[in-house]
Amino acid sequence: MRVFPLSVIAIACISTGSLSVGNTFANDAKTLAQTTQVQATAVATPHTTAPEKTLVDTPVVVPQVVNSAENTTITAPAADVITEPVVVTAEAQPAATPERANTFVNDAILPPSITWHGASESLILSVDNEWATPFEQSRGLESPSYDATIAWLDKLALETNKLQKVSLGKSPQGRDMWMYIASSEGINESARLKQNTKPTVLVQAGIHAGEIDGKDASMMLLRDIIKGDKSGLLDKANLLFVPMFSVDAHERSSEFNRVNQRGPVNMGWRTTANNLNLNRDYAKADTLEMQHMLRAINVWQPDLYIDVHVTDGIDYQYDVTFGYNLAQGLSPASFRWLENSYRPAVEAALTEQGHIPGPLIFAVDNTDITKGMSLWNPSPRFSNGYGDARHLPTILIENHSLKPFKQRVLGTYVMLEQTLKTVGEQATKLKSAIQEDKYRASPLITLTWKSAPLATGWDFKGIDYALETSPISGTEVVRWNGQPKLYPNLPVMAETVPDIKVTRPSAYYIPAQWTQVIDRLNVHGIRMTRLTKPTELKLQQYKLSNPVFNTQDLEGRQTVKAESELTKVSTTLPVGTVKISTEQPLGDLAILLLEPQSPDSLLQWGFFNPIFTNTEYIEDYAVEPLAAKMLKEDPKLQAQFDKALTNAEFAADPEARLRWFYERSPYYDNQYLKYPVYRSR
């Protein structure tokens, strides 16, 4: 038997997690060992069902020990491979691994945390369980990195054919946006998923990468489906799971991100690597990540879409809040199912497990709760507004940022588990509601909404607070004290009153040169055809006036608003013109993207900004004789000019007077301020 120095034995023990010097190193070593085993098994034991995309092999990582004295790295081989003793002096031994954090770096500056214990804590596996997630191994304080997340999920997938994996595409920094498909049949293709006729739930986490609760909750739930006693959840429903939507931002991780949020220890960044907010990008679809997600929605056709966030704002007792668009929106049948079937079931499950569920909450005034709450009816730049427009029931989860990470993750687990149960049990009702909304084709479409008070108020489960004058800011600030307080019958303002409305056109026509607009409509999955021969039609066209450009950049774009007047035109549309019928499932979405007064129209997002540039002009020496000729030949024009001169400001402006004639001459650009999208009634 070969004898090794104690220092070598110590290194070997530390590298395999055998010494009790802290859980972090031990768990990391264990994860590496498991990853190595999984990768080796992956080669020898492939899935019975081939993956939809070929995966790139991940390099096997060997645990290493750093000799701090010599600043060199020593690879620690297995004990039966060591041939010579390695001498390490006491001074050169690695420093003791620090204990895991048991609090969050920003705790001291946040309002008091309410101690919570609930029945859902029984869902957590022990730290040393082979199938404990990284979240569980950290005792509910940490969320794993991109690589560690995928490695853990891949290890789980090797245990079954019920969990498959596809890439939705690459991020700007080259990371795969992975989606896991959980089905009882081991399906990895969208066509086969549709054939099994079960409803499909799409859960995405990390659209704001620091708000990552959905990732860790879904990892636990998938583990319990594959390795535990919850496989029956897949008997009546399929699950699509995107663990990290904003993958690049997920890796911009720090304990100093999201100062208003109580964990995890390290959190991702709010915006993408290009500093764009994905949850403002659904309509314009500028980001690669959003384009991948929209194509996935079109290809996989989920029946329910869940977007998991963590909210900011006021303090209150609710730990899991969630909402969807209102009854007045574009998907009223889906709203009724969500409100009357889905919400009661989910809230009952959360309450039974010790959580406090509530509706999506926004205070009218964060410094005065008595002013009441507001109900939001979002536009399609947001996930739930987009879902309403395309008739995909969409739930926005907003866990409360001041509740500890563990509590939020467990609440999300309970909600997602109950979602699969309810969707499976009520598949027919859900699918019927979706079909009703898709083919509703309302003759009037509301583009904007006004707020009005609801007839019934809310009993709001809040937290008590006081206002104090701050010596820092010199104004009154809220000091939450952590004491539960009921605010009975608070008024509620809701965006339920239609503001700008338009009649539903039968179709839109877009000239072929507006390629970016056509491409975005295609990304959304909107059906279109092209004219194969010149076509003369009587149509409608908007004439725009008084454009106002935003003085600040918004999400990488120069947005614009303009007044619009609908006019009648007769025109010959050239070959290649794109026709978009509104008599299709995504007809309402097309209307919101193409009507210029819609807040998320492609016009307001700046896709048509070149039409606001007047490129041709006329010299003064030419317009003077032209004006004289026009007045001589047209007495009515003389009368109009005389009337215009009664405006003192106009009469005193020589350039305005000359431009008046140029705009009425045949030399003027007849496309200037004409919206290049035609409507047919």
Side-chain angles (χ1 to χ4, degrees):
M1 181 178 72
R2 185 174 300 155
V3 178
F4 299 109
L6 289 175
S7 57
V8 174
I9 297 173
I11 292 173
C13 290
I14 292 174
S15 67
T16 56
S18 299
L19 294 183
S20 300
V21 293
N23 292 324
T24 305
F25 198 102
N27 287 328
D28 286 348
K30 181 178 179 181
T31 302
L32 288 169
Q34 291 171 347
T35 303
T36 303
Q37 179 184 1
V38 169
Q39 290 159 342
T41 308
V43 177
T45 314
H47 284 301
T48 54
T49 304
E52 193 166 72
K53 291 189 180 290
T54 302
L55 306 184
V56 178
D57 290 337
T58 305
V60 176
V61 180
V62 179
Q64 296 178 329
V65 178
V66 176
N67 183 329
S68 58
E70 299 176 356
N71 196 26
T72 59
T73 302
I74 304 170
T75 301
D80 58 357
V81 188
I82 295 179
T83 57
E84 294 294 335
V86 180
V87 179
V88 182
T89 63
E91 291 78 14
Q93 290 180 1
T97 304
E99 293 288 340
R100 284 187 184 274
N102 56 16
T103 186
F104 304 112
V105 69
N106 54 341
D107 263 340
I109 62 174
L110 294 179
S113 177
I114 302 174
T115 301
W116 173 85
H117 290 291
S120 61
E121 289 178 291
S122 64
L123 297 168
I124 298 177
L125 295 186
S126 62
V127 170
D128 58 354
N129 189 292
E130 177 188 3
W131 287 103
T133 66
F135 161 80
E136 292 167 313
Q137 293 171 20
S138 72
R139 295 180 171 85
L141 295 174
E142 300 177 11
S143 186
S145 68
Y146 172 91
D147 287 337
T149 299
I150 300 305
W152 191 93
L153 286 166
D154 285 353
K155 174 192 170 185
L156 182 65
L158 287 173
E159 297 288 310
T160 178
N161 70 346
K162 294 182 179 180
L163 189 60
Q164 302 290 330
K165 170 187 176 185
V166 296
S167 174
L168 303 184
K170 296 282 188 181
S171 72
Q173 291 184 341
R175 295 180 177 89
D176 279 292
M177 278 179 56
W178 293 113
M179 182 173 78
Y180 289 82
I181 306 105
S183 67
S184 57
E185 298 86 357
I187 293 170
N188 66 351
E189 295 177 344
S190 58
R192 288 185 59 208
L193 197 73
K194 295 171 188 175
Q195 289 173 0
N196 79 357
T197 70
K198 300 175 189 176
T200 296
V201 178
L202 170 55
V203 176
Q204 73 182 26
I207 187 172
H208 295 149
E211 305 169 29
I212 204 61
D213 303 4
K215 179 187 75 175
D216 296 279
S218 296
M219 290 169 73
M220 289 176 61
L221 181 59
L222 283 173
R223 183 265 322 282
D224 292 343
I225 290 173
I226 303 304
K227 302 295 292 183
D229 59 356
K230 297 186 178 179
S231 61
L233 292 173
L234 300 181
D235 289 345
K236 295 182 179 180
N238 310 307
L239 174 63
L240 305 176
F241 170 45
V242 178
M244 295 158 287
F245 186 174
S246 190
V247 289
D248 295 339
H250 187 279
E251 295 308 279
R252 186 181 170 183
S253 181
S254 169
E255 62 181 335
F256 296 106
N257 292 348
R258 292 195 61 80
V259 63
N260 308 309
Q261 183 173 306
R262 196 164 260 125
V265 170
N266 289 293
M267 293 173 272
W269 196 248
R270 180 174 178 81
T271 51
T272 69
N274 300 108
N275 205 34
L276 295 175
N277 189 333
L278 285 180
N279 202 33
R280 307 293 185 273
D281 196 41
Y282 277 89
K284 61 185 177 66
D286 277 338
T287 62
L288 271 178
E289 295 95 331
M290 184 58 70
Q291 292 171 17
H292 296 329
M293 181 60 72
L294 296 183
R295 289 190 180 101
I297 290 173
N298 288 321
V299 169
W300 292 88
Q301 290 290 309
D303 300 286
L304 186 67
Y305 186 27
I306 297 183
D307 181 19
V308 187
H309 289 248
V310 180
T311 190
D312 296 317
I314 62 175
D315 199 1
Y316 44 73
Q317 298 172 50
Y318 308 101
D319 55 355
V320 180
T321 69
F322 63 98
Y324 27 81
N325 269 37
L326 306 184
Q328 292 78 11
L330 293 167
S331 299
S334 296
F335 169 84
R336 290 192 295 271
W337 183 85
L338 289 166
E339 188 74 0
N340 300 325
S341 298
Y342 179 82
R343 180 176 287 279
V346 168
E347 289 192 340
L350 284 164
T351 302
E352 183 181 359
Q353 291 295 314
H355 297 274
I356 304 179
L360 200 58
I361 294 167
F362 301 98
V364 172
D365 182 345
N366 285 358
T367 65
D368 187 356
I369 302 303
T370 62
K371 289 183 179 179
M373 298 290 135
S374 66
L375 270 178
W376 185 36
N377 206 353
S379 71
R381 75 183 57 179
F382 305 98
S383 62
N384 46 335
Y386 183 74
D388 183 61
R390 69 174 293 147
H391 314 302
L392 168 59
T394 300
I395 298 163
L396 174 63
I397 298 178
E398 287 280 8
N399 294 329
H400 189 217
S401 61
L402 295 177
K403 301 299 184 289
F405 183 49
K406 181 176 80 170
Q407 181 180 354
R408 304 196 317 261
V409 169
L410 293 177
T412 307
Y413 179 112
V414 173
M415 183 167 181
L416 296 181
E417 179 184 6
Q418 185 59 47
T419 294
L420 291 175
K421 292 178 181 177
T422 301
V423 168
E425 292 166 357
Q426 300 208 14
T428 301
K429 290 184 178 180
L430 173 59
K431 287 177 178 286
S432 296
I434 294 170
Q435 290 300 107
E436 181 179 337
D437 289 330
K438 281 184 175 181
Y439 296 99
R440 179 168 167 256
S442 174
L444 282 176
I445 300 294
T446 300
L447 303 180
T448 61
W449 298 87
K450 293 180 180 179
S451 289
L454 294 183
T456 304
W458 283 352
D459 290 339
F460 179 66
K461 296 178 180 179
I463 297 293
D464 199 7
Y465 67 96
L467 292 176
E468 297 179 3
T469 301
S470 166
I472 306 298
S473 64
T475 189
E476 286 190 327
V477 296
V478 172
R479 304 293 188 199
W480 307 101
N481 61 25
Q483 298 301 312
K485 179 178 179 178
L486 180 67
Y487 295 85
N489 198 32
L490 284 184
V492 180
M493 298 294 294
E495 293 177 321
T496 56
V497 179
D499 184 16
I500 300 175
K501 296 189 291 186
V502 294
T503 58
R504 185 185 200 89
S506 62
Y508 293 98
Y509 295 88
I510 305 176
Q513 65 267 25
W514 294 98
T515 55
Q516 189 182 39
V517 172
I518 295 167
D519 176 68
R520 293 304 158 86
L521 296 174
N522 183 58
V523 167
H524 286 289
I526 294 171
R527 299 173 188 167
M528 57 188 80
T529 58
R530 287 188 183 269
L531 300 185
T532 57
K533 60 182 180 179
T535 305
E536 185 177 355
L537 293 171
K538 292 182 178 180
L539 301 168
Q540 297 174 321
Q541 185 179 28
Y542 285 104
K543 180 175 175 56
L544 306 177
S545 60
N546 302 319
V548 177
F549 292 89
N550 198 330
T551 56
Q552 291 184 329
D553 195 63
L554 178 63
E555 291 298 313
R557 286 192 164 271
Q558 186 182 26
T559 57
V560 61
K561 291 183 179 180
E563 297 174 12
S564 62
E565 177 188 359
L566 200 58
T567 61
K568 295 179 180 180
V569 296
S570 294
T571 186
T572 299
L573 300 175
V575 172
T577 299
V578 167
K579 178 183 179 181
I580 300 165
S581 171
T582 63
E583 294 181 6
Q584 60 170 297
L586 297 183
D588 289 348
L589 177 60
I591 292 171
L592 294 187
L593 293 175
L594 293 175
E595 286 294 325
Q597 295 300 313
S598 170
D600 273 318
S601 66
L602 297 182
L603 178 129
Q604 292 202 23
W605 273 116
F607 284 75
F608 291 97
N609 279 1
I611 69 174
F612 298 106
T613 302
N614 194 350
T615 57
E616 286 289 357
Y617 57 92
I618 187 170
E619 298 288 357
D620 292 354
Y621 62 74
V623 73
E624 287 280 358
L626 174 66
K629 182 175 182 291
M630 292 169 64
L631 290 174
K632 182 179 179 180
E633 295 176 350
D634 189 349
K636 290 183 179 179
L637 187 67
Q638 179 69 66
Q640 294 171 7
F641 183 55
D642 292 340
K643 183 177 180 181
L645 290 174
T646 61
N647 183 310
E649 184 178 353
F650 173 79
D653 187 343
E655 288 189 5
R657 293 170 64 156
L658 293 178
R659 187 170 59 250
W660 191 91
F661 285 98
Y662 177 43
E663 290 173 353
R664 287 157 178 76
S665 77
Y667 297 97
Y668 190 68
D669 179 6
N670 63 7
Q671 295 301 310
Y672 180 55
L673 294 182
K674 300 285 184 66
Y675 182 46
V677 176
Y678 299 94
R679 292 169 37 117
S680 63
R681 289 186 290 181

